[in-house]
Amino acid sequence: MFANVCDDDQVPHAAESPAVISAVDARRVLLHLQRLGSSPTCSNAKSVQSMVDRLGYVQVDSINVLERAHHMILGTRLDGYRPEHLAHSLEGTRTLWEHWTHDACIIPTKWYPHWKHRFVRYGVRVEGSSWWAAQFGDDPLKTIRRTLARVKRDGPLKARDFEPPKNHRSAGWWEWHPEKAALEYLWRSGKLAIARRERFEKVYDLAERVFPDAYGLAQSSQATHIQWACSEAIARIGIATPTEIARFFSAVTLVQARAWCVQAVARGELIEAVVPDVRQGMKPTKCVALKNWKTLCLAPNSHRIDLLSPFDPVIRERARVERLFGFDYRFEAFTPAAKRVFGYYVLPMLEGDALIGRVDPKFDRAKGTLIVRGPWWEPGVKATKVRIQKLELAIDRLAARIGAGNWTMSL
């Protein structure tokens, strides 16, 4: 029966036959755990904190064609969301903080001890990088020490508060002046923290001043760290391959995730599963699943359409999106305009448990108008009157959240 099952993730066989979980059920579990497909919660500071705790992280991104990625991810799940609801926990109580998972993200501060493993790894990586060495200037160690000493003396600072060397010539977006590189290194290796952002620009301060309690906590043991990373990941995906578990926080290796899956199945904490691919002719995928996955497999409400950020955690794993939803999504912002299929900042449209199409919106701030190109419907999806109304309501919600006074839509 399982001769053609995809075994890329090498989930070993348990004594019992793997459970066969349909792609529809698997995506319903995912949507439920990621708080999509049901009526959004009303937003306030408490519900934002709870939502980030539930999701595990919310990605931050600099593109602002509509609104920042983290605001859109939260706004899709929380009715009436406002940035100040997030700022309460991120810059006030400090129960949320910003650092790296697979990318820059907002993370629950309670997990700070687990990031100390990442601080060490990052320091080792930078020390062995010729690219980083070039950014620091002629004397990297002196640059880093000088930058840290100034933050310690002067308090929270931005990169622009440091004058670049007179002979410095930037070679592009990812080429920084030496002090900017030092700030980033000191942040990623845990010596500095982001105290706040001003017009999205990072303001750095000593980590021990920003998070005095968390900073003093001991680093978790390696075994505890692996258990945390894998168990918290599967709790937010429900049914996953070892690769998806390892990539969730990008905190452990694939080898470590595979070993953990074997042990979790042996302990009876997880079950083996096989999920058929919705695409015809594709092999099923071996996974592990939460034992109670059936209780999480809830039929989502289909009374509305939600527009998902390109950085939404549900669509982050493109291979999973294709095999569970049959939806081929590519982020085209960095594709030359002439080669784009749909547009610069395309948003998938979620209706119930299906991704039914996409739109390409842009906020003309000077005119206060949200300009929407599309929609492009998926094959077999009919643009019924009711569906068009649900899409218009979704655009209404987006326009209200970003402060657009009106919107237009056309192909």
Side-chain angles (χ1 to χ4, degrees):
M1 178 178 179
F2 301 112
N4 294 320
V5 171
C6 178
D7 61 356
D8 290 345
D9 278 298
Q10 301 178 16
V11 179
H13 288 296
E16 299 180 1
S17 297
V20 180
I21 304 174
S22 72
V24 172
D25 285 348
R27 72 196 192 205
R28 286 181 174 183
V29 171
L30 175 67
L31 291 171
H32 173 68
L33 292 175
Q34 290 291 310
R35 296 302 185 258
L36 286 172
S38 59
S39 298
T41 305
C42 291
S43 182
N44 53 41
K46 184 177 180 180
S47 62
V48 167
Q49 175 73 51
S50 297
M51 185 60 69
V52 179
D53 285 343
R54 177 60 257 169
L55 297 179
Y57 64 82
V58 174
Q59 186 171 340
V60 176
D61 190 79
S62 60
I63 296 176
N64 197 28
V65 67
L66 291 174
E67 61 180 343
R68 304 295 183 186
H70 48 296
H71 296 316
M72 186 164 190
I73 293 167
L74 292 169
T76 303
R77 293 163 170 80
L78 296 165
D79 275 346
Y81 170 79
R82 292 292 180 267
E84 54 266 29
H85 297 163
L86 176 62
H88 175 80
S89 297
L90 191 59
E91 300 176 6
T93 62
R94 301 291 189 188
T95 49
L96 297 175
W97 70 308
E98 184 179 338
H99 211 269
W100 279 72
T101 58
H102 65 294
D103 209 318
C105 289
I106 295 167
I107 311 153
T109 309
K110 63 185 178 181
W111 290 338
Y112 193 94
H114 292 292
W115 258 254
K116 294 192 174 187
H117 294 268
R118 193 180 304 259
F119 298 159
V120 173
R121 289 201 309 271
Y122 201 86
V124 171
R125 185 184 307 168
V126 170
E127 289 173 7
S129 168
S130 58
W131 184 91
W132 275 98
Q135 309 311 305
F136 293 136
D138 295 335
D139 192 336
L141 187 57
K142 182 178 179 180
T143 299
I144 292 168
R145 286 175 174 171
R146 181 176 66 246
T147 304
L148 181 60
R150 185 172 168 200
V151 174
K152 185 175 182 178
R153 182 187 72 235
D154 296 347
L157 294 171
K158 301 186 288 290
R160 69 174 62 213
D161 295 322
F162 294 80
E163 288 290 333
K166 292 182 179 180
N167 62 347
H168 177 76
R169 294 291 182 271
S170 177
W173 180 258
W174 291 112
E175 200 275 338
W176 301 319
H177 65 71
E179 284 76 12
K180 167 61 176 174
L183 288 168
E184 282 291 305
Y185 163 72
L186 290 165
W187 168 52
R188 298 189 195 192
S189 59
K191 296 175 182 64
L192 296 182
I194 297 176
R196 62 184 182 278
R197 283 182 181 260
E198 295 179 1
R199 295 183 178 273
F200 203 67
E201 188 175 4
K202 298 188 188 86
V203 180
Y204 304 88
D205 198 1
L206 297 180
E208 61 199 88
R209 289 201 291 237
V210 179
F211 307 109
D213 295 331
Y215 183 83
L217 296 175
Q219 176 177 308
S220 59
S221 69
Q222 181 73 349
T224 300
H225 180 63
I226 294 171
Q227 171 65 22
W228 163 81
C230 295
S231 62
E232 295 291 350
I234 192 65
R236 288 160 176 80
I237 310 172
I239 303 162
T241 66
T243 294
E244 291 164 355
I245 290 171
R247 282 169 52 86
F248 190 86
F249 292 111
S250 295
V252 297
T253 67
L254 177 55
V255 170
Q256 290 169 333
R258 283 174 175 165
W260 181 85
C261 288
V262 174
Q263 296 161 7
V265 170
R267 291 192 298 263
E269 297 171 3
L270 301 177
I271 62 169
E272 286 188 324
V274 173
V275 180
D277 198 303
V278 296
R279 297 167 297 175
Q280 189 172 7
M282 301 298 290
K283 294 180 180 180
T285 301
K286 290 182 179 180
C287 299
V288 291
L290 296 174
K291 293 181 68 175
N292 66 333
W293 69 268
K294 289 183 180 180
T295 68
L296 305 172
C297 183
L298 305 178
N301 293 330
S302 58
H303 67 280
R304 61 185 269 161
I305 286 175
D306 285 309
L307 304 178
L308 304 185
S309 162
F311 303 99
D312 195 284
V314 163
I315 62 170
R316 173 193 162 194
E317 294 287 349
R318 305 292 196 250
R320 181 175 63 204
V321 171
E322 289 191 41
R323 65 182 174 82
L324 294 187
F325 295 86
F327 190 78
D328 183 7
Y329 179 73
R330 298 293 181 271
F331 185 54
E332 299 183 283
F334 303 115
T335 301
K339 295 184 178 181
R340 291 176 192 145
V341 178
F342 296 105
Y344 180 83
Y345 203 73
V346 173
L347 310 184
M349 296 156 49
L350 177 69
E351 180 186 53
D353 60 16
L355 292 169
I356 61 169
R358 60 201 89 198
V359 292
D360 176 35
K362 179 180 179 179
F363 185 19
D364 185 336
R365 290 176 172 82
K367 296 181 179 179
T369 300
L370 176 61
I371 302 167
V372 182
R373 292 180 61 250
W376 296 274
W377 304 101
E378 286 293 279
V381 176
K382 295 181 179 180
T384 63
K385 182 178 179 180
V386 171
R387 189 164 274 144
I388 292 293
Q389 289 174 341
K390 288 191 285 189
L391 174 57
E392 290 174 345
L393 288 172
I395 297 172
D396 281 341
R397 292 193 298 271
L398 174 59
R401 196 169 67 242
I402 65 177
N406 55 80
W407 60 265
T408 64
M409 181 167 62
S410 64
L411 280 174

